[in-house]
Amino acid sequence: MTDRTLDEVFAYKKRIAELESELDEMTIALAQAWDQLVPFLQAAPTQATSTLDIVPVLESIIAAIDARMGGVYLKHDDEWLTIPLDVVNVRDFYKHLDRLESGQIIHMHNIPAWHGRPTHWMFMPILINGKVVGAIGVGLEEGEREFTALDARVLTRMTERAASQIVAANLAESQAREAQLAREVQIASLIQRSIQPLTVPRLPTIEMTAHWMPASTVGGDAWGWVLQPSGQLACFILDVAGKGLPAALGAVSLHTALKMTLHLGLNPVDALATVNNEVYEAYTNAGLLATATVIRIDPNSGEVEHANAGHTPTLLRTGNKWSLWNASTPPLGVLPDISPQCDYRILQSGDLLICYSDGFSEIETPQGLWGTQGLLHAIPDHATSVEFAVQNIIAAVENLPNYGAAADDQTIMGLSFL
Amino acid sequence: MELQTKQLNPQAVLIRINGRFDAAVVEQVKRVWIEDETIHFVVADLSETTFIDSIGLATLVSGLKSTRQRGGELILLKPTEPVKVILELTRMNMVFKMAATLDEVEALTKAS
């Protein structure tokens, strides 16, 4: 055997000894890690009732792996929930999580963490009945060190043990969120109800009626009226697109703004243009839009001014003939400036004006949407009272075949000149 | 409802909304331009859309505002007759650019 071969043999033996030593150290470290985990696991409630209950589990994993940070990531209705919040807040991060497969640890590098510095993450999917429902991840500062095979093993075992508890916590949290949502819907409903007028004006030459029927889910319909300083009656109907609290709050702000402008004596065109200007930015930020129709009528002369921003057509019956006043401009909140057109007419005795929300026209019937024609067909030719006409529309809706609960708010407002 | 997306080029994505365009689908549609800020042009293919409600319209407006802020545009491709009726009744036809073909879309994106 040459000297060179002997040197190589010694080198291999030395390397084997080093590896054995490292293996011993790893074994000791593994034992120590498990020792560290036990108190944490005992401290964690066996039946988690909120996501707070899984924080000890997460802390135990971070401690065992000697990581800098960690998070539990749970998939809920196509969205990722994180515990704690905002450990990492990068959209691409969630795209990677979407690709998690069962039993497979994944690594992600250069992920900016909450402190702004790049981090390196290792994730283990959480499996329930073989399906990926989330992941536990631990993070190190980028370049600090690499995750070891032992780290991966600890993460795998801990994730397996914590899975059912984490899912129980997620379920409890979901139920709490649903209860909170139900409370918010109730508040939204109260808000929406509070802005609907309880009475109609009593004027000798004008009959006015209105009906507001909220859907089971809160929408953004509202109506209102104002007697202007000039003695003219101004009234409006509005519909904020959307459901729940955002739509209800949008309806309240729009209702208030329209009432204010009409109290100040503005005509329908200026009222809509002014209010649009005011709400445009807020509606843009909130992703809202609203349709609205404003009508002003002079009780003495029957002179009517009408402006419609994206709302369903107003039905106008003069003599025996029906015509439509369509929107002349897009809904409020869509464009920064609008210039609605003013429709103008002098009403004669017996003429009718009816405005309604899309909760009527978009009712689904076996023949398709009920539409404006549905409303027109529901009004008897001999109807001279607007209350009578509106009652017939409501009765027709209730008698539609297979008609159940309204899918959207239904608001209808009518005027007739006596 | 069925939703399909197709990357037309690095800055443009086509999203086809088949069936009803209402509250059930808006969150998925919004993700197209919210999750990827490099998207400047969104083509909403409405050729198989049977109905659009006010929430669907609000979603398109939200996409239009987002893309225009990035110097782009949201273009409606081949809206069906029921959708056209809604766009006309609400005067939203004054707001959106509309195209009958992908060639027209390309011309509109170049002009933007």
Side-chain angles (χ1 to χ4, degrees):
Chain A
M1 200 176 280
T2 64
D3 288 347
R4 191 179 164 199
T5 313
L6 276 173
D7 287 346
E8 282 176 359
V9 169
F10 284 131
Y12 282 130
K13 279 187 175 174
K14 190 181 171 196
R15 182 69 191 131
I16 289 167
E18 283 170 0
L19 287 171
E20 282 174 347
S21 172
E22 278 178 28
L23 191 59
D24 287 343
E25 283 173 20
M26 283 171 73
T27 308
I28 292 165
L30 182 60
Q32 286 171 344
W34 282 113
D35 287 345
Q36 285 175 336
L37 295 181
V38 170
F40 284 108
L41 287 173
Q42 285 170 345
T46 50
Q47 184 59 51
T49 55
S50 89
T51 50
L52 284 177
D53 290 340
I54 58 178
V55 171
V57 178
L58 181 61
E59 285 175 348
S60 69
I61 297 169
I62 295 170
I65 295 175
D66 195 20
R68 294 279 174 173
M69 61 197 82
V72 178
Y73 297 81
L74 295 165
K75 194 83 184 272
H76 184 80
D77 289 343
D78 285 338
E79 283 191 30
W80 284 96
L81 307 174
T82 65
I83 306 158
L85 286 172
D86 299 333
V87 185
V88 171
N89 192 15
V90 179
R91 287 187 193 109
D92 284 350
F93 181 74
Y94 297 107
K95 283 183 187 170
H96 286 297
L97 289 184
D98 279 329
R99 288 196 281 270
L100 279 172
E101 288 175 22
S102 58
Q104 188 185 43
I105 280 194
I106 62 165
H107 291 260
M108 290 185 215
H109 285 274
N110 291 314
I111 301 290
W114 59 270
H115 53 45
R117 292 195 293 275
T119 54
H120 166 202
W121 283 75
M122 175 171 69
F123 288 94
M124 179 65 198
I126 300 169
L127 297 174
I128 294 292
N129 299 328
K131 191 182 164 200
V132 177
V133 297
I136 296 179
V138 286
L140 295 168
E141 302 277 345
E142 196 65 77
E144 182 182 357
R145 69 175 175 89
E146 290 300 312
F147 285 112
T148 64
L150 177 62
D151 293 335
R153 192 169 160 181
V154 170
L155 182 62
T156 305
R157 294 292 301 275
M158 284 299 293
T159 304
E160 284 166 3
R161 289 192 62 157
S164 59
Q165 197 174 25
I166 287 169
V167 171
N170 188 33
L171 183 65
E173 201 83 347
S174 297
Q175 286 165 343
R177 268 197 304 277
E178 278 166 20
Q180 174 69 18
L181 199 63
R183 280 194 294 276
E184 285 183 2
V185 168
Q186 198 177 12
I187 293 166
S189 172
L190 288 171
I191 290 170
Q192 199 191 10
R193 200 172 290 274
S194 71
I195 58 173
Q196 315 297 335
L198 298 173
T199 58
V200 289
R202 291 175 182 272
L203 295 167
T205 56
I206 296 170
E207 180 196 8
M208 184 174 181
T209 187
H211 291 264
W212 171 71
M213 289 156 282
S216 52
T217 52
V218 181
D221 275 18
W223 68 283
W225 61 270
V226 165
L227 270 179
Q228 293 192 314
S230 60
Q232 289 166 300
L233 169 67
C235 52
F236 59 86
I237 184 169
L238 63 91
D239 182 2
V240 178
K243 304 273 181 202
L245 212 46
L249 291 174
V252 171
S253 61
L254 187 55
H255 192 273
T256 307
L258 274 173
K259 269 190 96 167
M260 288 294 288
T261 54
L262 295 172
H263 268 303
L264 291 171
L266 268 65
N267 63 42
V269 166
D270 290 343
L272 285 176
T274 304
V275 167
N276 177 69
N277 199 262
E278 278 303 309
V279 301
Y280 175 74
E281 199 171 328
Y283 275 26
T284 296
N285 292 336
L288 292 175
L289 61 79
T291 64
T293 291
V294 181
I295 295 171
R296 181 163 76 168
I297 181 166
D298 186 325
N300 298 318
S301 64
E303 188 180 334
V304 170
E305 297 160 90
H306 167 278
N308 180 342
H311 201 73
T312 50
T314 296
L315 313 179
L316 169 67
R317 195 187 70 185
T318 48
N320 289 322
K321 193 182 163 201
W322 283 102
S323 52
L324 304 178
W325 272 342
N326 288 316
S328 57
T329 188
L332 307 177
V334 174
L335 299 172
D337 294 299
I338 58 167
S339 306
Q341 170 193 314
C342 181
D343 301 298
Y344 175 85
R345 186 72 60 105
I346 295 179
L347 295 185
Q348 304 299 320
S349 178
D351 288 351
L352 302 178
L353 266 173
I354 296 174
C355 307
Y356 56 93
S357 64
D358 58 9
F360 281 99
S361 52
E362 291 179 359
I363 293 171
E364 288 193 66
T365 73
Q367 290 77 39
L369 298 182
W370 203 44
T372 303
Q373 289 306 314
L375 281 97
L376 288 173
H377 286 136
I379 304 170
D381 290 342
H382 61 277
T384 51
S385 154
V386 75
E387 174 67 26
F388 179 70
V390 166
Q391 288 299 345
N392 272 276
I393 291 170
I394 294 168
V397 169
E398 286 167 357
N399 290 327
L400 283 170
N402 304 325
Y403 183 68
D408 195 2
D409 290 350
Q410 293 174 342
T411 308
I412 189 162
M413 181 182 82
L415 293 165
S416 63
F417 193 59
L418 303 175
Chain B
M1 181 280 302
E2 189 191 351
L3 208 65
Q4 295 165 352
T5 56
K6 183 180 171 189
Q7 195 87 28
L8 297 175
N9 62 50
Q11 285 196 316
V13 68
L14 179 143
I15 180 161
R16 176 177 292 164
I17 302 136
N18 293 352
R20 291 175 66 89
F21 187 1
D22 56 17
V25 65
V26 294
E27 289 308 319
Q28 282 172 273
V29 173
K30 278 182 187 172
R31 274 186 209 159
V32 169
W33 57 83
I34 289 175
E35 289 195 351
D36 190 347
E37 291 180 1
T38 62
I39 295 298
H40 288 205
F41 294 94
V42 174
V43 181
D45 183 345
L46 306 177
S47 60
E48 298 292 333
T49 308
T50 52
F51 170 74
I52 184 168
D53 70 358
S54 55
I55 301 174
L57 289 174
T59 303
L60 290 176
V61 170
S62 172
L64 182 74
K65 288 175 177 175
S66 296
T67 50
R68 282 190 180 166
Q69 273 177 354
R70 298 170 192 171
E73 189 69 46
L74 182 143
I75 297 161
L76 307 185
L77 178 63
K78 290 188 281 187
T80 55
E81 204 51 40
V83 173
K84 266 191 200 167
V85 168
I86 296 285
L87 292 169
E88 283 163 13
L89 273 179
T90 56
R91 286 292 180 265
M92 293 289 244
N93 55 340
M94 297 162 64
V95 177
F96 292 105
K97 289 182 178 169
M98 281 185 252
T101 63
L102 279 175
D103 286 342
E104 275 185 38
V105 167
E106 203 176 334
L108 287 170
T109 56
K110 278 179 184 166
S112 293

